[in-house]
Amino acid sequence: VSSVRTFHEDVRSALGGRHVVTDQDLTASHCIDWTRRWHGSTPAVLRPGSTDEVAEVVSAARRHHVALVPQGGNTGLVGGATPLAGEVVVDLRRLDRLDPVDAAARQVTVGAGVPLATVHAHVAPASLAFAVDLGAREQATVGGMVATNAGGIHVVRNGPMRVQLVGVEAVLGTGQVLVANMAGLEKDNTGYDLPALLCGSEGTLGIITAARLRLVARPEMVAAALVGFDSVDDAVWAASTLRGEPAVVAIELMTADGLAVVADFLQQSVPLLPVPAAVLLVEAAGRGDVTAALGDAVAALPGALDAAVSDDAAGRERLWRWREGHHEAAAALGVVHKADVTLPTGALARFVMAAPALVERVAPGSTTLVYGHAGDGNVHVNVVGPKPDDDSVVDAVLAAVLERGGSVSAEHGIGVAKRAWLVRQRGEVAVTAMRGIKSALDPDNICNPGVLLP
Ligand code: FAD
Ligand code: 2HG
Ligand code: ZN
């Protein structure tokens, strides 16, 4: 207790009392995750406003043996930002630096606390765009997205966060400030790729304070289509074909069962009637007539039935609502158990079709939605029914994924939810290497000690 009190005194003098929040009414929202599956408690939420202040926090934590949980927008879906063992929360949202866009380099440097939507808005006037986009865009921060190597809806064209990350600034678990390629060199072949290492480290190696991000051309035209198919097989086959179309930037899969749940939630009818067995939401973007390019690509797909197409912003948003409504519609039914998985291309359709029956065997009477980023072989199995602390359904789904040669985490990370699966996924040698990296960069195990490594 006295050690924690001394830690509090140190951080109060580093951050000022206003940014050491101990009032439980104010810390409560930091202690529960988005899914409501993970609940913790914390003696304090720290709100550093600069890289130096983050370094002071980490150094004080080392001195006093205090464990830290970094937190951005708290939209993570694997419990990685929840203080489950009473850790101190470090809220990074005051790191809101927004440097001018470097149009010549097609890069921008931003603070870790900047929300994704702010990055999008910041680079748009320079006719540039940030390639990563995801449903939690208003809250998810750049630091959290780097820490989880977030994916989202455009991975099929531009890759995940790791591909967009040119450089990183971070306070390591040692308290030292690491500056890795923040000058944004496109080529720098001098040893280990530290930005790539920190990307996906889930707060276990240190605290990301800023990122140098790659930008892409802002598309002049965007068009989206909901395309119906008689079978999941046809839809998945179509997704593979569409990956070869240069203008296609998103290929998202939904099934009739999931759409029925969303239709109830939205109190609307699916725009394709009768509702097909499987639906792809396909988005095309670029210069020239992308609507025509999208129409031609869709018309050439074997098995495509009806399509609803839109190229104005409001119409596209209406189509996307059917896809982005899935997690909200599921959450409205209760606490959602989530398995975020990738399958080898050839195994995806069969898995999507098998998942609901697999869930029904383990937890009869549950509601199951299977949807996701078909272009990446990544689907999200959302199950409502089992008690919040019952892992049996997710375990059964993950076991089925491993049997089929897939991954137990495609884009959300391991967090606390999937720690038990890491060795089975990656093997002892890889996990031992990860432990070695962890102990080199965070020797006192103060950075998210409960996360990622079993
Ligand atoms: P948090 O939830 O605060 O933290 C996530 C992890 O990162 C934790 O382990 C935390 O300790 C660590 N962390 C946070 N900030 C830092 C930092 N500065 N330094 C070091 N570690 C840090 N994810 C996808 O990949 N693709 C999607 O399509 C997608 N869609 C989503 C849609 C919705 C509606 C929701 C709620 C979530 C979605 N997510 C998606 C998950 C989530 O948005 C991402 O994981 C996002 O990257 C988390 O960002 P955050 O700032 O909220 O991080
Ligand atoms: C998405 O693609 C997100 O919508 C969230 O990754 C998925 O909530 C989920 O399971
Ligand atoms: Zn996703």
Side-chain angles (χ1 to χ4, degrees):
V1 170
S2 74
S3 144
V4 170
R5 197 177 307 127
T6 315
F7 171 75
H8 280 202
E9 281 162 14
D10 280 4
V11 291
R12 269 201 191 95
S13 84
L15 309 183
R18 204 155 67 86
H19 296 301
V20 178
V21 181
T22 53
D23 179 342
Q24 285 190 11
D25 287 343
L26 302 176
T27 59
S29 64
H30 296 266
C31 297
I32 180 166
D33 83 311
W34 184 281
T35 69
R36 295 169 284 151
R37 276 200 75 197
W38 287 281
H39 303 246
S41 64
T42 189
V45 174
L46 310 181
R47 307 188 335 116
S50 67
T51 302
D52 286 347
E53 288 185 4
V54 174
E56 295 216 41
V57 166
V58 175
S59 299
R62 271 199 93 179
R63 276 197 303 280
H64 300 291
H65 308 288
V66 170
L68 304 173
V69 171
Q71 198 177 86
N74 200 12
T75 67
L77 299 172
V78 286
T82 311
L84 291 177
E87 297 93 337
V88 167
V89 173
V90 189
D91 175 351
L92 282 319
R93 287 175 302 172
R94 286 183 64 228
L95 302 181
D96 56 0
R97 155 183 182 188
L98 266 181
D99 287 11
V101 174
D102 184 342
R106 290 172 160 243
Q107 294 174 1
V108 68
T109 296
V110 302
V114 174
L116 173 60
T118 305
V119 179
H120 288 161
H122 179 60
V123 305
S127 295
L128 291 167
F130 182 54
V132 177
D133 196 12
L134 45 80
R137 58 186 72 79
E138 301 290 339
Q139 296 88 19
T141 62
V142 168
M145 292 173 62
V146 173
T148 57
N149 183 27
I153 55 182
H154 294 148
V155 173
V156 66
R157 185 54 52 217
N158 293 303
M161 204 62 193
R162 190 173 283 129
V163 175
Q164 324 307 329
L165 188 68
V166 185
V168 76
E169 180 193 84
V171 177
L172 301 176
T174 56
Q176 294 164 302
V177 178
L178 171 77
V179 181
N181 200 30
M182 289 297 278
L185 297 180
E186 284 292 351
K187 299 183 87 175
D188 177 17
N189 216 345
T190 52
Y192 303 137
D193 185 342
L194 297 176
L197 173 66
L198 283 167
C199 192
S201 62
E202 301 191 45
T204 61
L205 302 179
I207 296 183
I208 292 145
T209 50
R212 179 89 177 164
L213 302 174
R214 199 182 299 293
L215 302 173
V216 297
R218 183 173 160 76
E220 284 168 11
M221 292 271 296
V222 183
L226 279 183
V227 189
F229 296 86
D230 264 341
S231 70
V232 173
D233 252 331
D234 282 352
V236 167
W237 180 254
S240 302
T241 309
L242 288 165
R243 286 176 67 183
E245 292 290 334
V248 168
V249 296
I251 311 169
E252 298 287 317
L253 175 72
M254 293 157 272
T255 69
D257 288 351
L259 284 164
V261 176
V262 182
D264 271 354
F265 174 72
L266 297 178
Q267 295 283 295
Q268 287 174 28
S269 308
V270 180
L272 304 174
L273 282 174
V275 180
V279 171
L280 288 183
L281 195 162
V282 188
E283 190 166 270
R287 292 202 179 128
D289 195 349
V290 296
T291 314
L294 178 61
D296 291 347
V298 166
L301 293 173
L305 307 169
D306 201 5
V309 185
S310 185
D311 56 11
D312 64 90
R316 286 198 314 269
E317 204 178 310
R318 275 197 296 278
L319 298 184
W320 271 104
R321 196 79 188 100
W322 289 98
R323 165 60 179 86
E324 294 197 334
H326 272 68
H327 26 75
E328 266 177 86
L333 299 178
V335 171
V336 188
H337 296 257
K338 290 175 183 289
D340 152 47
V341 299
T342 350
L343 278 302
T345 308
L348 181 64
R350 203 167 273 222
F351 174 81
V352 171
M353 290 184 283
L358 171 68
V359 171
E360 184 60 25
R361 274 198 299 280
V362 181
S366 302
T367 302
T368 305
L369 296 82
V370 187
Y371 62 95
H373 317 288
D376 315 325
N378 172 194
V379 285
H380 300 301
V381 182
N382 283 198
V383 180
V384 187
K387 295 212 169 74
D389 60 351
D390 178 355
D391 287 330
S392 57
V393 160
V394 170
D395 284 349
V397 172
L398 299 186
V401 166
L402 279 185
E403 271 167 28
R404 291 163 165 80
S407 171
V408 299
S409 175
E411 56 173 9
H412 297 162
I414 293 289
V416 293
K418 295 178 181 170
R419 273 196 318 166
W421 290 86
L422 190 65
V423 174
R424 285 176 73 181
Q425 179 76 47
R426 300 291 298 271
E428 290 287 355
V429 175
V431 174
T432 302
M434 290 188 207
R435 284 190 204 286
I437 294 167
K438 165 84 171 163
S439 65
L441 302 191
D442 180 23
D444 299 321
N445 196 23
I446 54 168
C447 295
N448 244 357
V451 164
L452 180 60
L453 291 165

